[in-house]
Amino acid sequence: MLTAILTIILFCIMIIPHELGHFVVAKLVGVQVNEFSMGMGPLLFQKQKGETLYSVRLLPIGGYCAMEGENEESGNPRAFNNKKVWQKIAVLLAGAVMNVITALLVMIIAVTVSGIPTNTLDSVVKNSPAEAAGLRAGDRVVAVNEVKTSGWMEVVQEIDRDKSGKEIRITVDRDGKKQNCTV
């Protein structure tokens, strides 16, 4: 059930900005937008505001921005088919551009929330080998088995590289001083 809910949320995160991109640029270049819909299938809710009908439909797996003259010829000077080529291209590209912007924003939010791994220890588990070796929260790992490390992935790789099953020598920077610990 959770997977279905997360899938619906993902569709909404992708579709709403995409269709909104088409809608905003269409309005900016003077295209008449007849309907802006979130979802597909049977109608749940609609509201007419100006020339545009805004609707929400039952199935949250799509959406559309129905513009005058988009799929047929129209004599309306504000119809999509009567706009200049650059305006048509701008309207069509706006959806894809919004997808790229949305992806960047989602990645920025994800990194901000989860953080970027560093070689500074946030915490040390009680009664763990790390605690027994004297490692503390705030220590910055600068070397593993005499191999310098500058990021968390290097720390993990060096620890993983040691297949001896014996002690590992960890060098940390603690308050500006180098300390050696054996784990």
Side-chain angles (χ1 to χ4, degrees), residues 64-134:
Y64 57 90
C65 178
M67 297 173 276
E68 180 70 25
E70 181 180 14
N71 296 321
E72 73 284 332
E73 290 297 316
S74 173
N76 183 336
R78 294 187 55 226
F80 180 78
N81 66 304
N82 293 326
K83 292 297 176 181
K84 295 176 183 170
V85 172
W86 73 265
Q87 292 172 318
K88 292 178 189 177
I89 291 171
V91 170
L92 295 175
L93 284 178
V97 169
M98 286 302 291
N99 284 131
V100 171
I101 291 169
T102 301
L104 288 172
L105 288 174
V106 167
M107 288 189 306
I108 289 168
I109 290 167
V111 166
T112 301
V113 169
S114 66
I116 297 171
T118 68
N119 56 341
T120 301
L121 303 178
D122 184 52
S123 62
V124 176
V125 176
K126 276 207 173 296
N127 301 320
S128 67
E131 183 186 53

Side-chain angles (χ1 to χ4, degrees), residues 33-49:
V33 178
N34 297 328
E35 185 176 2
F36 181 75
S37 177
M38 285 297 101
M40 305 297 273
L43 182 67
L44 293 178
F45 170 79
Q46 67 181 11
K47 179 175 174 98
Q48 184 77 37
K49 187 172 179 190

Side-chain angles (χ1 to χ4, degrees), residues 49-62:
K49 187 172 179 190
E51 67 189 12
T52 305
L53 177 67
Y54 298 88
S55 61
V56 176
R57 297 181 179 269
L58 180 63
L59 305 172
I61 57 170

Side-chain angles (χ1 to χ4, degrees), residues 140-180:
R140 186 170 58 89
V141 179
V142 295
V144 175
N145 288 337
E146 309 297 325
V147 177
K148 289 186 180 184
T149 59
S150 60
W152 185 248
M153 288 308 297
E154 291 175 5
V155 171
V156 172
Q157 287 171 349
E158 288 306 317
I159 291 172
D160 191 46
R161 187 171 288 148
D162 184 278
K163 304 291 185 198
S164 69
K166 297 181 180 173
E167 297 174 334
I168 296 174
R169 185 174 164 146
I170 307 285
T171 306
V172 297
D173 182 331
R174 181 179 297 154
D175 301 323
K177 296 177 185 164
K178 298 255 190 298
Q179 296 237 248
N180 291 311

